[in-house]
Amino acid sequence: MLLLCTVFVVDDSITQGIVIGQTFWFYKTLPAVALATFCSYLINKNPIGFSIVDGLFLLFMISGIVITWFPARELTPITQTLFNVLILYFLIKIQLSQVHNSSVILIVCFLLSGFIEAVWGLRQLYGFTHSQHSLFKTTGSFYNPGPYAGYLAMIAPMALHFFLRGNNALNGKITRNAILAIAATSFISIVIILPSTASRASWLSAIAGCLAVMIFNNRQLINLFATVKRKKIAFISFIGLMALTVAFYSLYVFKKDSADGRFLIWKNTIEQIKDNPFGVGIGFYAGSYGKYQAEYFENKNGTEQEEMIAGVPQYAFNEYLQICAEWGIFPFLLFLTILALSISSAIKNKKIAPLGGLISLLVFAGMSYPFSLMPFVISLIVLIAICNSSEDYESINKPIARVPVFLFYISAFCSTVYIAAQQKEIYESYQAWTKSRYLYNTKSYETAEKSYSEEYEALKHNVEYLFEYGHILSNIKDYRTSNLILGRAKERSCDPMIYNILGKNHQALGEYDQAIEHYLFAMNLVPHRLYPSYLLTRLYIEINDLEKAKESVQNLLDTNIKITSPATEQMRNDMKNVLDSLEKTTSRSTTNDFVDGCENCF
């Protein structure tokens, strides 16, 4: 229960308090999970088996740990998380084998979490409590409505199953009625709040999971379909296909730019996978992706519409493509095999509730980024473990001996405690960074640099911290160190502002070729942004290359702006003045004086 409470964690005392706070909670909770599971094993002493899925999952996670360990040769946050997730899976599997109906208890906990989240969202919707994001009314405990809706969509099929049949899962009239009440209230509250999130991915995933629950809960429907004649099957299939086509098209039109933006990301991610069959490294997707999007627009492959919708994705908005891009093709195939065997096992053993939840989560993962958030990772592990568990202890032919089990528990407990103890120092660094950001935001760069430098070792894997630290160093004219920090940031992010600052650093150092390269990259990465063109124009004027300066100004004036603001209007007006000046004079001093007068445009 403590583990599943990860979804409710919102830590306002640190930067990125939702995502980071949930991760810290997971680290702190896992030693307690290991200890509790060990006590359960000592009390019940039921045999423990080892399945094919267990072996594949072990191989999959070890491959991830190896991928993250070798480039850095240290326990990075990703390596620690993967190691803990591996331990969690086997702890859950062991617990499921020790206590009868553990899977039912876990799913009821899911239902309770879904009900609490739905009520949380309803309170936000009607103004009784604040949202986690100023731009959205309904986010629950998440940062935006997308993941929030995805979590509710995952719970909905499980609630539906217990509402239809799950009340027979446990003995005792009071217990059955209690579960029925929890399932009904969870499902109804989710159905009420889900439309307000405007998340198409969650709607589709909820429908897919609920359909799976209804189909596999109704064997008569399956048998009836099997007896229908082929002509009727063809007719029904045609009608269903037409209905699906209309539904998908309606959802596409509902938020067309968002859908087109994801298609653009998927298109470039596929090219990324083709060039990197062994993966680009876990956590390095965004940095690598930026090169492909910039090259795509540089080669004039993008349409005008694509140039307008291009963004700066941190995720692929398709977990299957992102896993393949980061981990490589072989681990990706392992992952697909684990999922396929889990679904097959759930159908075979009639574990309909976790099957519905898993299908919903997997559909949502095809259109969003749930596995980048700890509550979804925990949910995936728990659902896979339940789908592959068996409460028939007599069916275990070759149970694992007690000595290896004891060794596993000792190593699991010690390692999780060690990792959790390390988090104390990192958490304090996050708190210090949160306080130091006030200095950064008020442009007290000299003082801020001292604070930021002290937290570098603990936070050097955080992109937002690296960007701010690199920007501070650039403003205090420590350009070389700034380039090193921002060089680390650009490996993990494709934010064009990183390249803009790198370009300004090289320009200040007199390294004009490198500066031009970074400005052009930022221009190609997100073509509808004006700032890189503005910086490039200033550089050409500084080196007295007036022909290229004219070309750069014209490019800026011809650029279609996605969002008009006072800053963009000021830029356009300034560039028009620059163009007029360049046409009237060839004097370098005159043009430099003019550019110096534009320093306060931003």
Side-chain angles (χ1 to χ4, degrees), residues 283-357:
F284 296 93
Y285 164 79
S288 173
Y289 172 85
K291 300 172 186 176
Y292 288 84
Q293 182 164 299
E295 183 180 352
Y296 181 76
F297 289 119
E298 182 182 7
N299 295 334
K300 307 299 181 183
N301 294 326
T303 64
E304 185 176 336
Q305 170 67 7
E306 286 178 326
E307 290 182 355
M308 290 298 293
I309 62 175
V312 188
Q314 192 66 25
Y315 314 104
F317 288 92
N318 183 310
E319 290 290 2
Y320 308 105
L321 288 177
Q322 184 156 345
I323 289 172
C324 192
E326 289 190 334
W327 296 57
I329 294 175
F330 176 68
F332 172 66
L333 294 176
L334 279 178
F335 181 68
L336 291 184
T337 305
I338 291 168
L339 296 179
L341 291 176
S342 298
I343 292 172
S344 174
S345 176
I347 295 172
K348 179 181 177 181
N349 297 317
K350 299 180 181 179
K351 296 181 178 293
I352 309 304
L355 172 66

Side-chain angles (χ1 to χ4, degrees), residues 526-596:
V526 188
H528 60 76
R529 295 193 181 181
L530 302 184
Y531 191 43
S533 295
Y534 169 77
L535 294 176
L536 185 61
T537 302
R538 289 184 56 190
L539 185 148
Y540 284 139
I541 292 173
E542 181 178 320
I543 63 176
N544 206 23
D545 192 339
L546 302 186
E547 287 302 317
K548 287 189 176 180
K550 289 180 183 179
E551 182 182 338
S552 180
V553 170
Q554 195 60 56
N555 177 71
L556 185 148
L557 295 175
D558 292 340
T559 300
N560 293 322
I561 304 175
K562 185 174 182 179
I563 300 175
T564 302
S565 67
T568 58
E569 290 301 315
Q570 182 68 42
M571 260 190 286
R572 282 187 177 277
N573 292 333
D574 290 339
M575 289 299 102
K576 289 176 182 178
N577 294 331
V578 168
L579 187 60
D580 291 340
S581 297
L582 290 174
E583 290 175 349
K584 292 177 181 178
T585 180
T586 57
S587 170
R588 180 179 179 183
S589 61
T590 303
T591 54
N592 279 346
D593 289 342
F594 176 79
V595 172
D596 289 340

